[in-house]
Amino acid sequence: MRIQGYPNPGEGLRLHLNENTGGCSPRVIEAIERLTTADIATYPEYTEVVLASARLFGVDPEWVLLTNGLDEGILMAAIGHIARLRIHDAETIVPLPAFDPYPNSTAAAGATSVRVRPDPSLAFPTDRVIEAITPRTRMIFLNTPNNPTGQLIAIDDLKRIATAAPHAIVFVDEAYIEFGGQSFIPELPSFPNVLIGRTFSKAYGLAGMRIGVVIGQPAALDPVRAVTLPFNINGVALAALKAAIADTEFLPRYAAQVRESREHLYAACRRLGLQFWESAANYVLVRVGEAEPYLAALAERRIHVRDRSKDDITPGCLRITTGMLDHTNRAIEALESVHATRTSR
Ligand SMILES: Cc1ncc(COP(=O)(O)O)c(C=O)c1O
């Protein structure tokens, strides 16, 4: 039997999907409680929320397309720029390690993913991405900070890639940019072939509402708009988004917790002699080596993390969400317990 949805790890502390471990702004809940029966009975009205989103990102409202999670934005970009044009032999470039929807959406659009491996240090392979560009390249999926490594792509490297592929769409996925690094949005006016993906799932704590956004000049965005269904975001989600954007204190407060959490986890890794990658996002990739004892200690405390140990790009690694400090400290305590058992043997 196949049941729809992502596997549910059960009760416990969710540090496996990079959600906001502190929840969303209370103003979001108040806004949802204020909804009326008429709000639910009528088709949703987008204008006000699109204008508020455009103000938030500092762009023209015509450059903004709200999507049902950034997942939908990625899929619609591939459909709009590849499947809709019935291009045969189309390729996308997918630097590894990559978020699954890039190859999946490529396949859904009937194209082939050309994968590019990172440096052994997991640094972003700019030159090799540029070398992989061919006349068949229709899209290049770039993720900064990268999930799962937390590594950034320098703005100059993004520019070099976008300049080297004027015939392709460069999709810059900035799902975690609120936690570190610089957005490419201010550069957009000079790059008509770039689309930026953002999400309200992470920093704003709205993963359950499913709201993402694709931002770009009309030349790049209109083909995506053309295949996106007109009522793709529901009215409850739109009310939630409006309230989340209006609460300007929420995000800086949570981002500060994330930064402190990351530092705590780095310090713990140093104490325990575990390799880790300094991250610009709300998670840290930690190389524990043999993952099982760590996963067992975490599971015993009902803490769910992402096991990346079987991936040949991230062997022996776990990805741990660093959200509220208390939550991160619980994960650190579990990592320390494994170390204590080993050294007492
Ligand atoms: C790199 C990256 N892009 C996009 C998304 C999708 O976010 P959304 O919840 O908006 O679909 C995620 C979610 O995990 C992600 O890690």
Side-chain angles (χ1 to χ4, degrees):
M1 193 166 58
R2 284 186 167 250
I3 304 283
Q4 181 179 10
Y6 197 81
N8 179 0
E11 285 289 299
L13 178 57
R14 297 169 61 92
L15 304 183
H16 64 308
L17 290 181
N18 302 333
E19 295 151 332
N20 189 315
T21 75
C24 65
S25 160
R27 286 169 66 173
V28 168
I29 304 299
E30 288 159 22
I32 293 173
E33 282 171 353
R34 278 198 304 273
L35 290 172
T36 64
T37 53
D39 289 328
I40 302 298
T42 48
Y43 285 100
E45 166 54 46
Y46 286 69
T47 311
E48 200 185 331
V49 187
V50 171
L51 294 179
S53 305
R55 276 195 301 275
L56 177 70
F57 296 116
V59 297
D60 189 309
E62 291 195 3
W63 292 26
V64 170
L65 179 70
L66 294 176
T67 57
N68 201 281
L70 180 50
D71 281 352
E72 188 199 37
I74 294 164
L75 177 63
M76 290 304 154
I79 292 178
H81 281 285
I82 303 172
R84 176 175 155 272
L85 305 175
R86 297 167 195 254
I87 295 178
H88 297 294
D89 302 332
E91 289 175 357
T92 70
I93 298 178
V94 178
L96 299 176
F99 185 52
D100 287 340
Y102 310 153
N104 295 351
S105 300
T106 300
T112 306
S113 313
V114 175
R115 294 169 167 86
V116 180
R117 291 180 74 89
D119 291 343
S121 67
L122 297 185
F124 185 76
T126 308
D127 290 333
R128 287 203 302 285
V129 168
I130 291 174
E131 281 159 24
I133 297 168
T134 73
R136 292 184 299 281
T137 308
R138 290 293 306 165
M139 287 187 76
I140 304 176
F141 289 104
L142 305 177
N143 180 202
T144 180
N146 174 272
N147 174 9
T149 68
Q151 303 304 295
L152 289 165
I153 307 173
I155 295 285
D156 279 346
D157 288 342
L158 295 173
K159 287 184 184 171
R160 277 179 61 206
I161 295 167
T163 306
H167 59 294
I169 291 295
V170 176
F171 193 102
V172 183
D173 180 338
E174 296 185 339
Y176 300 97
I177 201 79
E178 292 89 349
F179 301 115
Q182 236 179 302
S183 172
F184 197 76
I185 291 175
E187 310 295 339
L188 267 185
S190 312
F191 290 93
N193 63 328
V194 172
L195 289 173
I196 310 272
R198 298 284 288 258
T199 179
F200 293 94
S201 294
K202 314 292 180 179
Y204 290 86
L206 298 182
M209 286 286 137
R210 312 303 304 125
I211 317 165
V213 51
V214 182
I215 305 168
Q217 292 195 32
L221 192 61
D222 286 353
V224 190
R225 201 186 282 287
V227 294
T228 302
L229 298 174
F231 295 116
N232 61 335
I233 320 257
N234 71 70
V236 181
L238 291 173
L241 177 55
K242 198 172 131 198
I245 292 175
D247 186 352
T248 51
E249 285 167 18
F250 178 82
L251 192 140
R253 215 183 299 134
Y254 187 63
Q257 281 277 311
V258 168
R259 281 194 296 274
E260 207 178 333
S261 270
R262 286 191 313 230
E263 293 299 329
H264 273 230
L265 185 50
Y266 300 160
C269 289
R270 285 191 195 102
R271 279 198 305 279
L272 301 175
L274 298 175
Q275 186 184 4
F276 64 93
W277 284 262
E278 285 203 14
S279 168
N282 64 336
Y283 48 83
V284 177
L285 190 69
V286 179
R287 179 164 285 154
V288 293
E290 197 194 335
E292 274 62 35
Y294 289 91
L295 290 169
L298 288 155
E300 201 179 296
R301 291 163 178 77
R302 292 204 190 166
I303 301 174
H304 310 298
V305 300
R306 185 68 185 268
D307 178 10
R308 300 282 320 201
S309 64
K310 315 265 176 329
D311 185 329
D312 72 341
I313 306 250
T314 54
C317 291
L318 304 178
R319 190 195 66 198
I320 303 172
T321 300
T322 45
M324 302 301 279
L325 206 44
D326 284 359
H327 297 148
T328 307
N329 287 341
R330 280 169 59 189
I332 290 172
E333 190 268 321
L335 298 179
E336 280 171 337
S337 76
V338 176
H339 193 71
T341 323
R342 296 193 152 188
T343 46
S344 68
R345 264 190 213 153

